[in-house]
Amino acid sequence: MFYQFDKYRNKKGYILLDDVDKTVISTTVYGSRQNKKWFLIGDENYLFKGSNGPLEEIKEIVNEFISNQLNISNAQYDLALYKGVKGIITKDFSNGKSFKTMLSFLCEINHVHNDLYTYVQILRAKGVKEEDITRNLKIWLCNHVLDIFTCQRDRHFKNIALFTDTLMPTPRYDSCGSFLTISKYDKVYNFVKSSSKTELIEKYKGIRTKLRIFPGNVRENSIDELLKAQEFPNDETNIPQLIKKELLDIRNLLLNISWIDFNEIYYQLQDSNIVLNSIYQDYFKIVIDLKMQEYFEKEHVYKR
């Protein structure tokens, strides 16, 4: 949260950007989301992104707080209102450093596979040291697993980026397409109040991160792929074994995910006068709990 803007918040916790002393530094920002603008506020650059649907800005902040609890680097976000449009404001995480999206790297080699296997190939082609590739891969496997358990459906190579000098990942960003993407209050209410939440989540089994572990048209739910990847066969490279080795640490990450303190998240939100409806509070926790349950049930089957 950007507490330095607290004096500009309205009663619902949104920063009123119209009242903030700022300079527009860019009016054209590429991407599907409308109402994007870069501002210079003080000596820092900030991007405003208008929400495409209800609750998107809240999901982005909840993702940031979850990432912080898991020690996963994430862009900073806050709620904002600009020219009557709800959205989020995010601080430029580059600190003056150059970075490129993974899509840009793929275009350089005329390759469009959206998977971690290809990710490693690109790093090797760029001459990145093996120990740095391992660090890089570990970061993105953690991000990949978190995407699975927050039902992120929009993690493609346009919202994954690397710093050009080190070829290490930038902080995590663009996570609003998560938590089953339920955005209407009545649907959230039905989900939370349902006596059989497992049936409701069943229809979202196909929702999975666009980022794959290995190339190919994988049809399984992302949890199935996560489990199958640990038994992925060898090929002419050692990339599958490299990924499998890092996947062995996933159980520790899963335990951390299962211990996420949502009360702390709500406390942080309330600290900026952002009070979530109790339905939404239950909703975020239920989604994580159901995905954890799904994973451990399937893991038990795989072990048999």
Side-chain angles (χ1 to χ4, degrees):
M1 312 298 292
F2 299 122
Y3 299 108
Q4 66 269 35
F5 299 129
D6 279 352
K7 65 180 179 179
Y8 299 109
R9 292 187 191 276
N10 65 11
K11 291 183 179 180
K12 294 187 177 180
Y14 285 76
I15 297 169
L16 301 176
L17 278 180
D18 296 318
D19 297 341
V20 178
D21 186 18
K22 61 193 178 302
T23 303
V24 177
I25 57 177
S26 174
T27 56
T28 302
V29 182
Y30 295 104
S32 59
R33 187 187 297 264
Q34 301 300 309
N35 303 306
K36 284 185 176 181
K37 277 188 173 58
W38 278 100
F39 299 109
L40 178 65
I41 304 176
D43 57 356
E44 301 281 1
N45 293 333
Y46 293 86
L47 173 67
F48 171 79
K49 300 195 296 182
S51 291
N52 285 339
L55 202 64
E56 277 197 351
E57 66 273 24
I58 298 291
K59 292 176 183 177
E60 197 78 85
I61 291 178
V62 170
N63 267 279
E64 179 194 348
F65 288 164
I66 289 175
S67 297
N68 290 342
Q69 290 194 33
L70 298 173
N71 293 317
I72 294 174
S73 178
N74 200 95
Q76 285 183 277
Y77 290 98
D78 210 324
L79 300 184
L81 193 66
Y82 179 63
K83 295 189 181 301
V85 177
K86 282 184 177 181
I88 55 96
I89 184 173
T90 180
K91 187 177 178 180
D92 180 8
F93 54 67
S94 69
N95 293 320
K97 295 172 62 178
S98 173
F99 66 90
K100 292 196 304 186
T101 67
M102 281 301 298
L103 181 62
S104 298
F105 288 105
L106 289 171
C107 290
E108 287 180 6
I109 62 173
N110 195 28
H111 201 56
V112 292
H113 286 177
N114 195 52
D115 55 76
L116 287 168
Y117 186 97
T118 302
Y119 190 43
V120 174
Q121 289 180 311
I122 291 173
L123 295 176
R124 284 182 171 168
K126 291 286 183 180
V128 178
K129 296 178 180 178
E130 284 299 309
E131 57 265 32
D132 289 334
I133 289 177
T134 299
R135 285 173 52 219
N136 198 313
L137 180 62
K138 187 185 293 289
I139 290 170
W140 270 110
L141 277 170
C142 288
N143 276 276
H144 183 71
V145 172
L146 183 53
D147 281 343
I148 290 172
F149 286 88
T150 56
C151 301
Q152 171 63 247
R153 68 188 181 99
D154 199 34
R155 185 69 64 206
H156 49 76
F157 270 11
K158 206 170 179 181
N159 58 31
I160 295 175
L162 303 177
F163 289 113
T164 53
D165 58 346
T166 61
L167 295 181
M168 293 300 292
T170 67
R172 175 184 174 86
Y173 63 93
D174 243 344
S175 300
C176 61
S178 58
F179 289 105
L180 304 182
T181 66
I182 300 176
S183 56
K184 292 185 177 180
Y185 183 88
D186 58 340
K187 289 186 178 181
V188 174
Y189 183 87
N190 290 335
F191 176 77
V192 175
K193 295 300 182 182
S194 170
S195 60
S196 181
K197 299 178 182 66
T198 51
E199 287 183 18
L200 272 171
I201 205 171
E202 188 72 16
K203 67 180 179 180
Y204 290 97
K205 282 183 65 176
I207 297 290
R208 59 181 185 266
T209 171
K210 291 179 182 177
L211 179 65
R212 306 256 47 83
I213 294 180
F214 293 102
N217 183 21
V218 181
R219 296 182 179 274
E220 292 87 357
N221 176 272
S222 53
I223 288 180
D224 294 327
E225 189 199 15
L226 183 64
L227 290 166
K228 285 184 177 180
Q230 298 182 52
E231 303 299 328
F232 200 87
N234 285 316
D235 67 356
E236 68 278 6
T237 74
N238 71 335
I239 296 177
Q241 290 303 312
L242 178 65
I243 292 176
K244 179 180 176 181
K245 178 178 178 294
E246 298 309 317
L247 278 169
L248 294 177
D249 292 332
I250 291 303
R251 176 166 276 276
N252 290 331
L253 177 63
L254 288 174
L255 288 175
N256 289 335
I257 292 175
S258 70
W259 295 334
I260 290 171
D261 185 356
F262 282 88
N263 288 327
E264 173 63 22
I265 290 176
Y266 305 140
Y267 175 80
Q268 288 178 276
L269 289 170
Q270 289 170 346
D271 205 31
S272 289
N273 201 35
I274 301 166
V275 181
L276 277 187
N277 184 293
S278 59
I279 291 293
Y280 290 144
Q281 293 185 15
D282 293 340
Y283 163 64
F284 291 121
K285 189 174 189 307
I286 285 171
V287 171
I288 292 285
D289 288 346
L290 281 171
K291 296 300 281 187
M292 291 298 303
Q293 178 183 336
E294 182 185 356
Y295 176 85
F296 287 123
E297 286 177 352
K298 289 187 175 182
E299 184 190 43
H300 177 70
V301 172
Y302 272 90
K303 284 183 176 178
R304 285 168 52 194

